Amino acid sequence: MTSQRTRNRLVQRLRESGIRNDDVLDVIASTPRHLFVDEALSHRAYEDTALPIGNGQTISQPYTVARMTEVLLAAGPLKRVLEIGTGSGYQTAVLSPLVDKLFSVERIEPLHVRAVQRLDSLGYSNVRLKLSDGTWGWPEHGPYDGILAAAAPEDVPDSLLEQLADGGRLVMPVGTEEQKLVLITRHGDHFSRKTLESVRFVPFLPGVQR
Ligand code: SAH
């Protein structure tokens, strides 16, 4: 079930669902998603579905990971990227080969610790992870030309907008009952906002949980 053929079938499905960026599809074809879930669920790792990763959280659906990565990269290559909500580290692993430097924060300690071990052992060397509340971004390493979040707040936190470089792009779900994927682009002090499709993410929660 973890064979290249199973992974290729997932990529074919994503293509049929409308993902067009070949670089993104190539990375998904070579990323071992079965190593980002519990062994008991690894036989389902190449289904296009979210799966539980413990602590009430989920590994994102491959379509959503592909779509958000595609939207983030649509204006060209990115150098510095910030991710909020490392979770299993799967989205981190997909972004890593497509950007120069990647910073990712997670608020739940056991998930953070597992993601560090996983990404280290798989050799993702341009990635830095931190246990913290993503409401505050990670100002020390900004500004970022891409910011991506995998949890939905009521609205985009101001600190994330402040850490966006001029020309930078931010992609994240927004809303409580009904969530929409939002793309924000910074032009100097002006932020343009585009609402994309409906999505379903875990809530963006404050604080650090140990
Ligand atoms: N892309 C990840 C998604 C994990 S689910 C994956 O595929 O595994 C979203 C994650 O966001 C959860 O792990 C949750 O704990 C985290 N999260 C939610 N609110 C957060 C916040 N304010 N700061 C940091 N992480 C947060």
Side-chain angles (χ1 to χ4, degrees):
M1 291 305 278
T2 55
S3 70
Q4 190 58 51
R5 257 177 62 199
T6 331
R7 237 177 271 170
N8 291 346
R9 222 175 293 142
L10 170 62
V11 166
Q12 185 53 35
R13 205 193 141 128
L14 297 180
R15 215 184 272 285
E16 285 160 12
S17 306
I19 304 299
R20 291 280 168 268
N21 186 320
D22 286 325
D23 294 336
V24 174
L25 291 168
D26 285 350
V27 174
I28 291 197
S30 62
T31 305
R33 190 169 184 257
H34 63 283
L35 301 180
F36 291 80
V37 293
D38 207 70
E39 227 179 304
L41 286 173
S42 62
H43 67 289
R44 299 190 56 198
Y46 298 102
E47 292 176 18
D48 188 20
T49 176
L51 294 167
I53 54 171
N55 298 80
Q57 307 303 318
T58 52
I59 181 171
S60 306
Q61 182 187 354
Y63 171 79
T64 311
V65 170
R67 176 78 180 121
M68 288 178 79
T69 310
E70 182 174 78
V71 170
L72 198 68
L73 289 168
L78 299 174
K79 290 201 170 76
R80 301 176 82 76
V81 173
L82 173 67
E83 177 191 35
I84 312 294
T86 318
S88 67
Y90 178 67
Q91 168 81 72
T92 323
V94 169
L95 274 170
S96 159
L98 297 166
V99 307
D100 286 359
K101 275 193 176 296
L102 179 56
F103 302 88
S104 180
V105 304
E106 168 58 54
R107 65 180 285 277
I108 299 180
E109 189 166 32
L111 295 178
H112 163 74
V113 169
R114 276 204 294 279
V116 168
Q117 288 163 350
R118 209 172 258 148
L119 292 165
D120 267 359
S121 70
L122 292 169
Y124 289 95
S125 55
N126 63 340
V127 173
R128 284 195 51 193
L129 305 179
K130 182 167 81 154
L131 175 70
S132 79
D133 176 356
T135 311
W136 313 112
W138 195 346
E140 292 87 334
H141 298 292
Y144 302 97
D145 44 13
I147 299 180
L148 179 151
E154 266 174 49
D155 206 355
V156 179
D158 284 343
S159 354
L160 298 186
L161 296 175
E162 283 159 18
Q163 288 165 42
L164 203 55
D166 195 12
R169 294 158 74 80
L170 176 152
V171 182
M172 68 189 293
V174 169
T176 42
E177 304 276 284
E178 224 216 308
Q179 300 174 2
K180 297 269 187 202
L181 211 53
V182 163
L183 166 67
I184 291 178
T185 311
R186 180 171 196 163
H187 314 276
D189 289 335
H190 176 75
F191 296 87
S192 71
R193 185 177 175 126
K194 202 169 155 189
T195 302
L196 310 172
E197 65 252 45
S198 294
V199 282
R200 188 106 186 254
F201 276 89
V202 297
F204 193 105
L205 296 172
V208 165
Q209 184 188 316
R210 288 177 202 272

